[in-house]
Amino acid sequence: MRDRHPDTPIKGRVTERRVKLTASGRMINPRSLFHRYPGNPILSPSDWSYPANAVFNPGATEIKGETLLLVRVEDMRGFSHLTVARSSDGRGDWRVAPQPTLLPDEKIQEEPYGLEDPRIVYLSEEGRYAITYVSFSKGGPLISLAMTEEFQTFHRMGALLPPEDKDACLFPRRFGGRYALIHRPIIRGEAHIWMCFSPDLKHWGDHRVVIPRRPRWWDCHKVGLGTQPIETKDGWLIIYHGIRVAASGSLYRVGFALLDLDEPWKLMYRSEEWVLSPSAPYEQVGDVPGVVFPTGALVDKNSNELRIYYGAADTVVALATANLTDVLTLCKACPV
Ligand code: BMA
């Protein structure tokens, strides 16, 4: 991709891209693209029937006509596990499982410090859901894979790549016979979004950077996958978080990109501005103030609504919605 030289003035382009016209002539403003659900936060520790310090960063999918969130639950020791919550409309009346759904297994060497930040895709070829999550090993965080049909029993497939690695998800289908994994290793202290490929979900290769951090931009220090990749007519929509380290700490914001449908290692478009940043009280107050961290998304095919589920301040789960066509229109205004 073409990286803008850090000293190139960007003022003119930013102004030009502040609003976009849809086919009908309507304006799209990146600042008001996503709407926070008025009932936010949708899940809080008090919704759990057992002690929980924080509930956040959920994977999201649909099962039996319902929305299922696999929520990261941090216990009072500071270790995380995953618990299912279900809702018929994906907004309210959540039913939280009374017991943890997936606990770290002491006998598994990569799991001693807990399971975090799951992403879910349905592999139609296998007829199973694939969950990629961060296992916290003695050597640091890494990506593990588990398969399930009904979110009650899980088949662990083990660690995919060595630490330090986070923010990973499989694509729901193969490309040229190979599975594709998007993930965020930290290499030489640099945090870019990478992709790699495997014939069997065990041996991974053909590693490449697909979405690099952008020097000096809002996503200059780290980028990482947010929700699972979303297949659209214009390409794979990748919602990601970007971090800029400021005097006050790390600023977590959200942007998006479009990857080629058939060759997803090709980055075609990338939003210039962020589209979600911490501002609501539940995003500003919590264990880690000032964090919005999307990890799950669903598209309502009837209404064309994109719903993103995100951890807010590393303490609660929140929901934001957008019109998918507007998201794609805005993204396509920003070729790389
Ligand atoms: C990242 C991950 C997330 C967390 C975020 C903000 O590195 O560990 O689980 O939500 O930091 O603290």
Side-chain angles (χ1 to χ4, degrees):
M1 69 167 279
R2 277 179 286 127
D3 238 4
R4 173 176 293 126
H5 186 277
D7 296 327
T8 306
I10 57 169
K11 197 160 173 267
R13 288 186 67 188
V14 168
T15 306
E16 171 200 331
R17 288 184 176 168
R18 188 147 299 256
V19 287
K20 291 293 157 199
L21 288 176
T22 62
S24 65
R26 197 162 44 81
M27 307 279 237
I28 305 171
N29 184 336
R31 295 285 78 74
S32 50
L33 187 63
F34 279 94
H35 305 283
R36 287 174 174 81
Y37 177 57
N40 275 348
I42 56 169
L43 289 168
S44 304
S46 58
D47 296 316
W48 260 244
S49 60
Y50 58 91
N53 173 56
V55 301
F56 57 121
N57 299 1
T61 194
E62 268 167 353
I63 185 165
K64 297 182 184 156
E66 290 197 306
T67 298
L68 179 146
L69 297 184
L70 189 59
V71 183
R72 171 178 171 190
V73 182
E74 191 190 72
D75 66 23
M76 303 303 184
R77 302 169 304 164
F79 300 135
S80 293
H81 61 267
L82 309 178
T83 295
V84 159
R86 295 172 201 255
S87 157
S88 54
D89 67 359
R91 290 171 161 72
D93 297 324
W94 292 94
R95 297 165 348 254
V96 178
Q99 301 292 333
T101 305
L102 191 61
L103 280 164
D105 183 338
E106 284 170 12
K107 294 190 285 300
I108 297 179
Q109 63 145 359
E110 66 269 15
E111 298 188 2
Y113 304 132
L115 316 179
E116 304 181 356
D117 303 356
R119 276 78 168 184
I120 307 169
V121 287
Y122 184 70
L123 299 181
S124 40
E125 184 186 330
E126 305 233 354
R128 293 193 289 177
Y129 296 88
I131 307 161
T132 37
Y133 54 93
V134 175
S135 338
F136 235 104
S137 76
K138 289 186 177 155
L142 52 74
I143 302 302
S144 292
L145 172 65
M147 310 292 268
T148 186
E149 284 171 30
E150 32 30 5
F151 290 89
Q152 281 165 8
T153 52
F154 297 84
H155 175 60
R156 280 173 162 90
M157 308 277 285
L160 300 188
L161 292 161
E164 180 173 351
D165 204 0
K166 286 185 174 185
D167 304 323
C169 194
L170 290 176
F171 283 71
R173 61 178 168 83
R174 299 195 201 208
F175 303 91
R178 299 187 301 174
Y179 294 98
L181 179 77
I182 190 162
H183 65 133
R184 206 287 306 280
I186 295 195
I187 295 169
R188 300 186 313 170
E190 294 180 21
H192 312 288
I193 297 176
W194 288 68
M195 196 177 285
C196 57
F197 301 85
S198 171
D200 56 6
L201 293 175
K202 200 147 189 66
H203 303 92
W204 296 91
D206 204 0
H207 299 269
R208 47 186 107 184
V209 172
V210 286
I211 306 176
R213 62 184 180 154
R214 289 184 287 201
R216 310 238 180 141
W217 290 63
W218 60 271
D219 49 5
C220 58
H221 284 108
K222 288 181 180 176
V223 288
L225 178 74
T227 77
Q228 73 271 39
I230 300 162
E231 189 164 10
T232 77
K233 62 179 178 26
D234 295 317
W236 293 97
L237 178 63
I238 302 296
I239 296 166
Y240 72 91
H241 63 263
I243 299 169
R244 169 181 252 168
V245 180
S248 58
S250 293
L251 300 172
Y252 278 79
R253 301 182 180 119
V254 178
F256 44 66
L258 272 171
L259 307 178
D260 186 86
L261 264 189
D262 299 319
E263 299 182 327
W265 52 92
K266 291 184 180 163
L267 174 63
M268 301 187 300
Y269 304 97
R270 181 175 187 176
S271 60
E272 294 205 336
E273 302 182 25
W274 66 83
V275 291
L276 193 66
S277 70
S279 64
Y282 49 87
E283 297 161 354
Q284 299 282 17
V285 177
D287 274 3
V288 187
V291 174
V292 287
F293 201 84
T295 37
L298 289 173
V299 175
D300 182 326
K301 295 216 167 56
N302 297 321
S303 63
N304 203 32
E305 179 187 72
L306 169 67
R307 308 199 306 255
I308 62 168
Y309 295 94
Y310 62 99
D314 280 12
T315 301
V316 293
V317 177
L319 164 66
T321 60
N323 178 289
L324 180 61
T325 307
D326 287 357
V327 169
L328 296 175
T329 302
L330 194 64
C331 202
K332 286 190 296 179
C334 305
V336 295

mmCIF file with all atom_site columns, all heavy atoms in Angstrom, residues 57 72 117 166 252 288 291 293 314, ligand 1:
data_model
loop_
_atom_site.group_PDB
_atom_site.id
_atom_site.type_symbol
_atom_site.label_atom_id
_atom_site.label_alt_id
_atom_site.label_comp_id
_atom_site.label_asym_id
_atom_site.label_entity_id
_atom_site.label_seq_id
_atom_site.pdbx_PDB_ins_code
_atom_site.Cartn_x
_atom_site.Cartn_y
_atom_site.Cartn_z
_atom_site.occupancy
_atom_site.B_iso_or_equiv
_atom_site.pdbx_formal_charge
_atom_site.auth_seq_id
_atom_site.auth_comp_id
_atom_site.auth_asym_id
_atom_site.auth_atom_id
_atom_site.pdbx_PDB_model_num
ATOM   1  N N   . ASN A 1 57  ? -15.488 -7.430  25.764 1.00 0.00 ? 57  ASN A N   1
ATOM   2  C CA  . ASN A 1 57  ? -14.860 -7.983  24.556 1.00 0.00 ? 57  ASN A CA  1
ATOM   3  C C   . ASN A 1 57  ? -15.466 -9.323  24.117 1.00 0.00 ? 57  ASN A C   1
ATOM   4  O O   . ASN A 1 57  ? -14.776 -10.352 24.068 1.00 0.00 ? 57  ASN A O   1
ATOM   5  C CB  . ASN A 1 57  ? -13.356 -8.136  24.787 1.00 0.00 ? 57  ASN A CB  1
ATOM   6  C CG  . ASN A 1 57  ? -12.682 -6.800  25.089 1.00 0.00 ? 57  ASN A CG  1
ATOM   7  O OD1 . ASN A 1 57  ? -13.339 -5.766  25.153 1.00 0.00 ? 57  ASN A OD1 1
ATOM   8  N ND2 . ASN A 1 57  ? -11.381 -6.801  25.272 1.00 0.00 ? 57  ASN A ND2 1
ATOM   9  N N   . ARG A 1 72  ? -16.053 -12.305 27.451 1.00 0.00 ? 72  ARG A N   1
ATOM   10 C CA  . ARG A 1 72  ? -14.880 -12.439 28.334 1.00 0.00 ? 72  ARG A CA  1
ATOM   11 C C   . ARG A 1 72  ? -15.273 -11.980 29.734 1.00 0.00 ? 72  ARG A C   1
ATOM   12 O O   . ARG A 1 72  ? -15.776 -10.866 29.908 1.00 0.00 ? 72  ARG A O   1
ATOM   13 C CB  . ARG A 1 72  ? -13.733 -11.596 27.802 1.00 0.00 ? 72  ARG A CB  1
ATOM   14 C CG  . ARG A 1 72  ? -12.568 -11.523 28.777 1.00 0.00 ? 72  ARG A CG  1
ATOM   15 C CD  . ARG A 1 72  ? -11.429 -10.723 28.218 1.00 0.00 ? 72  ARG A CD  1
ATOM   16 N NE  . ARG A 1 72  ? -10.412 -10.488 29.210 1.00 0.00 ? 72  ARG A NE  1
ATOM   17 C CZ  . ARG A 1 72  ? -9.391  -9.657  29.040 1.00 0.00 ? 72  ARG A CZ  1
ATOM   18 N NH1 . ARG A 1 72  ? -9.258  -9.000  27.896 1.00 0.00 ? 72  ARG A NH1 1
ATOM   19 N NH2 . ARG A 1 72  ? -8.501  -9.494  29.996 1.00 0.00 ? 72  ARG A NH2 1
ATOM   20 N N   . ASP A 1 117 ? -10.872 -12.405 24.896 1.00 0.00 ? 117 ASP A N   1
ATOM   21 C CA  . ASP A 1 117 ? -11.182 -11.753 23.621 1.00 0.00 ? 117 ASP A CA  1
ATOM   22 C C   . ASP A 1 117 ? -11.472 -12.712 22.454 1.00 0.00 ? 117 ASP A C   1
ATOM   23 O O   . ASP A 1 117 ? -10.755 -12.727 21.442 1.00 0.00 ? 117 ASP A O   1
ATOM   24 C CB  . ASP A 1 117 ? -10.038 -10.803 23.227 1.00 0.00 ? 117 ASP A CB  1
ATOM   25 C CG  . ASP A 1 117 ? -9.768  -9.760  24.303 1.00 0.00 ? 117 ASP A CG  1
ATOM   26 O OD1 . ASP A 1 117 ? -10.505 -9.720  25.300 1.00 0.00 ? 117 ASP A OD1 1
ATOM   27 O OD2 . ASP A 1 117 ? -8.814  -8.995  24.140 1.00 0.00 ? 117 ASP A OD2 1
ATOM   28 N N   . LYS A 1 166 ? -2.307  -11.602 19.358 1.00 0.00 ? 166 LYS A N   1
ATOM   29 C CA  . LYS A 1 166 ? -3.670  -11.350 19.853 1.00 0.00 ? 166 LYS A CA  1
ATOM   30 C C   . LYS A 1 166 ? -4.573  -11.066 18.657 1.00 0.00 ? 166 LYS A C   1
ATOM   31 O O   . LYS A 1 166 ? -4.133  -11.078 17.513 1.00 0.00 ? 166 LYS A O   1
ATOM   32 C CB  . LYS A 1 166 ? -3.691  -10.107 20.760 1.00 0.00 ? 166 LYS A CB  1
ATOM   33 C CG  . LYS A 1 166 ? -3.097  -10.296 22.138 1.00 0.00 ? 166 LYS A CG  1
ATOM   34 C CD  . LYS A 1 166 ? -3.293  -9.035  22.976 1.00 0.00 ? 166 LYS A CD  1
ATOM   35 C CE  . LYS A 1 166 ? -2.840  -9.255  24.406 1.00 0.00 ? 166 LYS A CE  1
ATOM   36 N NZ  . LYS A 1 166 ? -3.123  -8.093  25.264 1.00 0.00 ? 166 LYS A NZ  1
ATOM   37 N N   . TYR A 1 252 ? -7.775  4.318   22.472 1.00 0.00 ? 252 TYR A N   1
ATOM   38 C CA  . TYR A 1 252 ? -8.313  3.230   21.645 1.00 0.00 ? 252 TYR A CA  1
ATOM   39 C C   . TYR A 1 252 ? -9.470  3.773   20.816 1.00 0.00 ? 252 TYR A C   1
ATOM   40 O O   . TYR A 1 252 ? -10.477 4.224   21.379 1.00 0.00 ? 252 TYR A O   1
ATOM   41 C CB  . TYR A 1 252 ? -8.838  2.093   22.528 1.00 0.00 ? 252 TYR A CB  1
ATOM   42 C CG  . TYR A 1 252 ? -7.776  1.150   23.003 1.00 0.00 ? 252 TYR A CG  1
ATOM   43 C CD1 . TYR A 1 252 ? -6.948  1.498   24.062 1.00 0.00 ? 252 TYR A CD1 1
ATOM   44 C CD2 . TYR A 1 252 ? -7.609  -0.090  22.405 1.00 0.00 ? 252 TYR A CD2 1
ATOM   45 C CE1 . TYR A 1 252 ? -5.973  0.621   24.519 1.00 0.00 ? 252 TYR A CE1 1
ATOM   46 C CE2 . TYR A 1 252 ? -6.636  -0.973  22.852 1.00 0.00 ? 252 TYR A CE2 1
ATOM   47 C CZ  . TYR A 1 252 ? -5.826  -0.614  23.902 1.00 0.00 ? 252 TYR A CZ  1
ATOM   48 O OH  . TYR A 1 252 ? -4.871  -1.482  24.347 1.00 0.00 ? 252 TYR A OH  1
ATOM   49 N N   . VAL A 1 288 ? -10.304 0.203   32.693 1.00 0.00 ? 288 VAL A N   1
ATOM   50 C CA  . VAL A 1 288 ? -9.376  0.891   31.784 1.00 0.00 ? 288 VAL A CA  1
ATOM   51 C C   . VAL A 1 288 ? -10.167 2.002   31.077 1.00 0.00 ? 288 VAL A C   1
ATOM   52 O O   . VAL A 1 288 ? -10.771 1.771   30.017 1.00 0.00 ? 288 VAL A O   1
ATOM   53 C CB  . VAL A 1 288 ? -8.754  -0.087  30.753 1.00 0.00 ? 288 VAL A CB  1
ATOM   54 C CG1 . VAL A 1 288 ? -7.668  0.622   29.946 1.00 0.00 ? 288 VAL A CG1 1
ATOM   55 C CG2 . VAL A 1 288 ? -8.152  -1.307  31.452 1.00 0.00 ? 288 VAL A CG2 1
ATOM   56 N N   . VAL A 1 291 ? -11.642 3.185   26.594 1.00 0.00 ? 291 VAL A N   1
ATOM   57 C CA  . VAL A 1 291 ? -11.432 2.076   25.638 1.00 0.00 ? 291 VAL A CA  1
ATOM   58 C C   . VAL A 1 291 ? -12.756 1.686   24.991 1.00 0.00 ? 291 VAL A C   1
ATOM   59 O O   . VAL A 1 291 ? -13.745 1.441   25.683 1.00 0.00 ? 291 VAL A O   1
ATOM   60 C CB  . VAL A 1 291 ? -10.840 0.828   26.343 1.00 0.00 ? 291 VAL A CB  1
ATOM   61 C CG1 . VAL A 1 291 ? -10.783 -0.349  25.366 1.00 0.00 ? 291 VAL A CG1 1
ATOM   62 C CG2 . VAL A 1 291 ? -9.452  1.114   26.891 1.00 0.00 ? 291 VAL A CG2 1
ATOM   63 N N   . PHE A 1 293 ? -13.602 -1.382  22.288 1.00 0.00 ? 293 PHE A N   1
ATOM   64 C CA  . PHE A 1 293 ? -12.856 -2.530  21.766 1.00 0.00 ? 293 PHE A CA  1
ATOM   65 C C   . PHE A 1 293 ? -13.833 -3.530  21.144 1.00 0.00 ? 293 PHE A C   1
ATOM   66 O O   . PHE A 1 293 ? -14.289 -4.475  21.789 1.00 0.00 ? 293 PHE A O   1
ATOM   67 C CB  . PHE A 1 293 ? -12.072 -3.164  22.929 1.00 0.00 ? 293 PHE A CB  1
ATOM   68 C CG  . PHE A 1 293 ? -10.901 -4.003  22.509 1.00 0.00 ? 293 PHE A CG  1
ATOM   69 C CD1 . PHE A 1 293 ? -9.671  -3.422  22.244 1.00 0.00 ? 293 PHE A CD1 1
ATOM   70 C CD2 . PHE A 1 293 ? -11.025 -5.388  22.387 1.00 0.00 ? 293 PHE A CD2 1
ATOM   71 C CE1 . PHE A 1 293 ? -8.584  -4.205  21.868 1.00 0.00 ? 293 PHE A CE1 1
ATOM   72 C CE2 . PHE A 1 293 ? -9.947  -6.175  22.009 1.00 0.00 ? 293 PHE A CE2 1
ATOM   73 C CZ  . PHE A 1 293 ? -8.728  -5.581  21.753 1.00 0.00 ? 293 PHE A CZ  1
ATOM   74 N N   . ASP A 1 314 ? -13.033 -1.778  29.378 1.00 0.00 ? 314 ASP A N   1
ATOM   75 C CA  . ASP A 1 314 ? -12.645 -3.102  29.896 1.00 0.00 ? 314 ASP A CA  1
ATOM   76 C C   . ASP A 1 314 ? -13.515 -3.529  31.085 1.00 0.00 ? 314 ASP A C   1
ATOM   77 O O   . ASP A 1 314 ? -13.049 -4.232  31.997 1.00 0.00 ? 314 ASP A O   1
ATOM   78 C CB  . ASP A 1 314 ? -11.160 -3.120  30.311 1.00 0.00 ? 314 ASP A CB  1
ATOM   79 C CG  . ASP A 1 314 ? -10.236 -3.299  29.102 1.00 0.00 ? 314 ASP A CG  1
ATOM   80 O OD1 . ASP A 1 314 ? -10.716 -3.189  27.956 1.00 0.00 ? 314 ASP A OD1 1
ATOM   81 O OD2 . ASP A 1 314 ? -9.034  -3.543  29.313 1.00 0.00 ? 314 ASP A OD2 1
HETATM 82 C C1  . BMA B 2 .   ? -5.701  -4.986  24.613 1.00 0.00 ? 1   BMA B C1  1
HETATM 83 C C2  . BMA B 2 .   ? -6.364  -6.292  24.999 1.00 0.00 ? 1   BMA B C2  1
HETATM 84 C C3  . BMA B 2 .   ? -7.845  -6.115  25.292 1.00 0.00 ? 1   BMA B C3  1
HETATM 85 C C4  . BMA B 2 .   ? -8.125  -4.889  26.126 1.00 0.00 ? 1   BMA B C4  1
HETATM 86 C C5  . BMA B 2 .   ? -7.403  -3.680  25.567 1.00 0.00 ? 1   BMA B C5  1
HETATM 87 C C6  . BMA B 2 .   ? -7.616  -2.406  26.396 1.00 0.00 ? 1   BMA B C6  1
HETATM 88 O O1  . BMA B 2 .   ? -4.313  -5.146  24.587 1.00 0.00 ? 1   BMA B O1  1
HETATM 89 O O2  . BMA B 2 .   ? -5.733  -6.821  26.107 1.00 0.00 ? 1   BMA B O2  1
HETATM 90 O O3  . BMA B 2 .   ? -8.307  -7.253  25.954 1.00 0.00 ? 1   BMA B O3  1
HETATM 91 O O4  . BMA B 2 .   ? -9.513  -4.640  26.084 1.00 0.00 ? 1   BMA B O4  1
HETATM 92 O O5  . BMA B 2 .   ? -6.010  -3.960  25.514 1.00 0.00 ? 1   BMA B O5  1
HETATM 93 O O6  . BMA B 2 .   ? -7.129  -2.550  27.700 1.00 0.00 ? 1   BMA B O6  1
#
